[in-house]
Amino acid sequence: MNNLNLIPNTISFVKEQLKDAEGGHDWFHIERVYKNALLIAEGEDCDLTVVQLGALLHDIADSKFHNGDETVGPKVARQFLEQQNEGEETIAHVINIIDNISFKGGNFEKKFKSIELDIVQDADRLDALGAIGIARAFNYGGFKGRALHDPAIAPNLKMTREEYKATTAPTINHFYEKLLLLKDKFNTETGRKIAEGRHQYMEDFLTQFYGEWNAER
């Protein structure tokens, strides 16, 4: 018998867990990813419960806020789902989504594949693009005390996974090291279509940013 309270319980759990989270990785980020995932799922043949759980739990304990430990999120998610008496097949699938969703410097090959992972990954990547993506980038940069921009520090497009996690580069560099690279990495047609407009918005922002930086606009 299906647990009719599973999704509402998961939403309540995530809200409580992330109530003090950094603004770019808080409940509202999860909610946006959740809504994007539902939108993308409409055009795909998928297990909607896995999509919902994956979207809701994908950042339940982001490694960036746990000293780089990538095992915390899966552990927290598994413990919660076991408490909800969810089946092992669903739990394992959700854990695989959490383990394989992140960009990680672009040098990470997914060790698991499913349409549900594709959907949640696209939904998460959409939240890194456009106006929201810009706001999140600078919010996190401020949280970490990073410079807005330093023309003397060039973006590093060949970082290892470890270097990517440890970088302290200015926020503008993040656009070139991750955000502008995402457009070509979407898995679904719906995701790709939405990403195009958001990507162009960021390109326009950078044009304006450099114009103002150089007193040309």
Side-chain angles (χ1 to χ4, degrees):
M1 181 173 160
N2 292 332
N3 180 359
L4 298 178
N5 294 317
L6 177 60
I7 301 305
N9 287 351
T10 306
I11 290 173
S12 296
F13 173 71
V14 174
K15 283 183 175 180
E16 177 62 25
Q17 287 290 114
L18 300 182
K19 63 182 180 182
D20 298 318
E22 178 266 332
H25 299 81
D26 57 5
W27 159 250
F28 295 110
H29 162 63
I30 302 299
E31 184 178 43
R32 292 190 301 270
V33 172
Y34 180 66
K35 290 178 179 178
N36 283 332
L38 292 179
L39 176 64
I40 296 170
E42 290 178 4
E44 306 292 339
D45 182 11
C46 63
D47 184 327
L48 188 57
T49 297
V50 170
V51 169
Q52 290 175 293
L53 292 174
L56 290 169
L57 295 168
H58 81 278
D59 262 350
I60 194 61
D62 192 305
S63 64
K64 289 191 290 293
F65 307 103
H66 291 83
N67 299 313
D69 189 346
E70 297 178 359
T71 68
V72 179
K75 286 179 181 177
V76 172
R78 172 172 284 281
Q79 183 179 38
F80 168 76
L81 292 173
E82 287 178 346
Q83 291 173 348
Q84 298 298 305
N85 297 314
E86 193 54 46
E88 177 57 29
E89 182 177 354
T90 295
I91 293 176
H93 199 159
V94 172
I95 297 305
N96 274 317
I97 289 175
I98 296 171
D99 281 336
N100 289 275
I101 191 174
S102 295
F103 180 74
K104 299 177 182 175
N107 298 312
F108 175 71
E109 184 176 346
K110 291 188 285 189
K111 300 176 181 177
F112 174 82
K113 294 183 179 180
S114 75
I115 185 59
E116 290 79 13
L117 169 58
D118 287 347
I119 291 168
V120 178
Q121 188 173 58
D122 279 7
D124 187 40
R125 285 176 172 172
L126 284 176
D127 208 50
L129 298 179
I132 292 291
I134 293 169
R136 291 181 68 215
F138 284 104
N139 188 83
Y140 185 71
F143 177 77
K144 300 294 287 187
R146 296 177 183 173
L148 295 178
H149 176 45
D150 185 339
I153 302 176
N156 182 357
L157 302 181
K158 297 183 178 180
M159 283 188 286
T160 65
R161 181 173 169 180
E162 289 70 28
E163 288 172 333
Y164 179 78
K165 290 169 66 174
T167 185
T168 59
T171 297
I172 282 293
N173 289 32
H174 187 60
F175 283 75
Y176 301 95
E177 294 165 351
K178 175 184 177 181
L179 306 185
L180 294 175
L181 304 178
L182 293 177
K183 179 174 69 72
D184 297 324
K185 295 181 178 294
F186 278 76
N187 306 297
T188 67
E189 185 62 28
T190 300
R192 281 190 289 271
K193 287 180 179 179
I194 300 173
E196 288 177 4
R198 297 191 183 196
H199 177 91
Q200 186 58 53
Y201 187 94
M202 292 196 305
E203 292 275 18
D204 294 342
F205 166 80
L206 289 171
T207 298
Q208 181 70 23
F209 181 92
Y210 292 125
E212 295 181 12
W213 186 274
N214 296 313
E216 297 169 350
R217 291 195 175 205

